[in-house]
Amino acid sequence: MTTLFARATRRAGRSHFRYVRPVPFASATGLVGTVYRRIEAEFGMLAPPLALHSPAPSVLAASWSILREVLVVPGVVARADKEAVAAAVSLANNCPYCAEVHSTTLRGLVRGRDPEAIAAGRLEQVADPRLRTLAGWAVTSAEAPGPAPFLRAQAPELVGTVLTFQYINRMVNVFLQESPLPPVHGIARDVVRRGAARVMRRLASSAPLPGLDTDDLLPAAQLPDDLRWAESSPTIASALARAANAIDEAGERRLTTAARDMVRAALREPGRDAGTAPWLQERLDALPARDRPATRLALLTAVSSFRITDPVVAGVRATGADDAALIEITSWASLTAARHIAARQDMGNDDHGG
């Protein structure tokens, strides 16, 4: 049965979006309708970070498959640990929307001041050594991998959480407003946060079975080499393989080989900020003029998603791109960046953490 909260979320979420119009729940059919119903049944609400993908049905299915199997399904890692990683990654990625959501969920799961410290980026003040270590690993080891603070069997969920939010943060930065909470301040905001934490605690307590909800949404695919860290969890590995294949196909539809190679090259240059105009323009000048708007959007999404502006999107629209094209371009760039970062973070896993 659909809850009042789920129905309210459908209405409230519409004001969160920019650049694309998600498919309304009432008119969703086919794959979009199937995924929407499953999200509400197992996640408790049609969350805007998922709904934004709906103009591209296979990408919607891919994003839900990853989030469900990595974060929502109970596994060998506590949900609070995964939420701490999600909140830390979101803050590091300048994604205030996701940082708010996942620090709020953490408040619902963990007592004390640790959620506030993680939300503020004050990791040295986190009292729980497990949460402090995991949050620190999530935001520092991508560029300089060190020993992972967990066992190999936990990598599918913990490295998977990093991948999930490196992906979702980028999509949210492009297509959603800055906060999911009402624009209130002071005591009123504290009251709203406490209420939201109670709701998120209840939603996080669901225990769906692995694999049963997602393995029929997308065709089976081979797990790419850069996702081998997920092999010890067959359900997560299957979800990632299917999702990566679907999103790779989307990228091939919307971006040239030269554009995709350019994004991959940018990701291999540590510290390079794609928002720096001379560097970005030098790259784009090597392409035919017709290919530059979509490539600019992909580059910025992968490296500096918070820098995407109205003119960047308008430039892509001027080439005839519809909502589906915008989602497919950005989803490919987001997952490519997330895969690159997750593979580096797994390099430090020598199976001696814990």
Side-chain angles (χ1 to χ4, degrees):
M1 178 182 292
T2 303
T3 65
L4 289 173
F5 176 74
R7 288 198 291 271
T9 303
R10 294 178 194 171
R11 295 190 298 273
R14 294 174 189 168
S15 63
H16 290 210
F17 302 95
R18 56 189 178 193
Y19 304 137
V20 296
R21 297 183 63 184
V23 177
F25 192 97
S27 59
T29 59
L31 182 57
V32 173
T34 297
V35 176
Y36 272 10
R37 290 189 293 273
R38 293 184 184 183
I39 292 171
E40 278 204 349
E42 297 200 336
F43 198 60
M45 62 176 175
L46 182 57
L50 293 169
L52 70 85
H53 294 84
S54 60
S58 64
V59 177
L60 170 67
S63 63
W64 168 237
S65 296
I66 296 171
L67 182 70
R68 181 192 190 271
E69 301 303 331
V70 169
L71 183 73
V72 179
V73 171
V76 297
V77 177
R79 179 67 178 265
D81 290 355
K82 291 188 278 191
E83 291 293 344
V85 169
V89 169
S90 299
L91 188 67
N93 279 337
N94 294 294
C95 183
Y97 189 106
C98 292
E100 184 79 71
V101 168
H102 295 283
S103 61
T104 297
T105 305
L106 192 60
R107 290 184 188 101
L109 297 172
V110 175
R111 295 182 181 276
R113 298 182 178 180
D114 285 355
E116 298 292 342
I118 291 173
R122 298 191 298 268
L123 301 186
E124 72 283 356
Q125 297 178 13
V126 177
D128 185 313
R130 171 81 174 165
L131 295 182
R132 183 175 63 250
T133 300
L134 286 174
W137 163 81
V139 299
T140 61
S141 67
E143 294 298 334
F150 49 84
L151 299 175
R152 170 61 62 182
Q154 297 174 311
E157 292 173 58
L158 289 170
V159 179
T161 300
V162 171
L163 176 136
T164 300
F165 289 94
Q166 291 289 351
Y167 172 78
I168 289 178
N169 291 165
R170 286 165 167 78
M171 298 299 289
V172 166
N173 274 342
V174 179
F175 295 110
L176 293 184
Q177 302 300 327
E178 285 196 356
S179 176
L181 298 181
V184 294
H185 304 281
I187 295 175
R189 188 171 181 83
D190 291 339
V191 171
V192 169
R193 279 181 166 171
R194 286 196 295 271
R198 288 193 294 271
V199 170
M200 296 308 292
R201 179 177 64 243
R202 177 172 58 81
L203 297 180
S205 67
S206 66
L209 295 174
L212 298 182
D213 186 74
T214 57
D215 59 9
D216 64 337
L217 296 176
L218 296 167
Q222 184 174 355
L223 188 69
D225 288 343
D226 65 333
L227 298 175
R228 292 292 177 193
W229 46 262
E231 282 183 313
S232 62
S233 171
T235 54
I236 291 177
S238 175
L240 290 176
R242 294 168 190 262
N245 184 62
I247 292 176
D248 279 346
E249 289 179 349
E252 290 170 6
R253 280 193 294 272
R254 304 298 182 176
L255 294 163
T256 65
T257 299
R260 299 196 306 277
D261 288 346
M262 191 173 290
V263 171
R264 295 188 186 101
L267 290 167
R268 292 193 295 268
E269 298 182 24
R272 179 71 78 174
D273 183 352
T276 304
W279 174 83
L280 179 62
Q281 199 56 50
E282 286 170 9
R283 298 268 174 140
L284 295 173
D285 284 346
L287 298 175
R290 67 180 179 276
D291 297 334
R292 292 173 194 166
T295 307
R296 183 191 304 272
L297 177 61
L299 276 167
L300 286 170
T301 299
V303 185
S304 303
S305 58
F306 59 92
R307 291 186 182 274
I308 290 174
T309 60
D310 294 353
V312 172
V313 177
V316 183
R317 288 286 196 190
T319 68
D322 59 7
D323 283 4
L326 290 179
I327 294 299
E328 292 188 338
I329 291 166
T330 51
S331 68
W332 179 85
S334 295
L335 190 60
T336 299
R339 288 167 63 171
H340 173 80
I341 292 166
R344 286 190 58 81
Q345 285 188 283
D346 184 57
M347 288 170 61
N349 196 319
D350 58 5
D351 219 12
H352 296 295

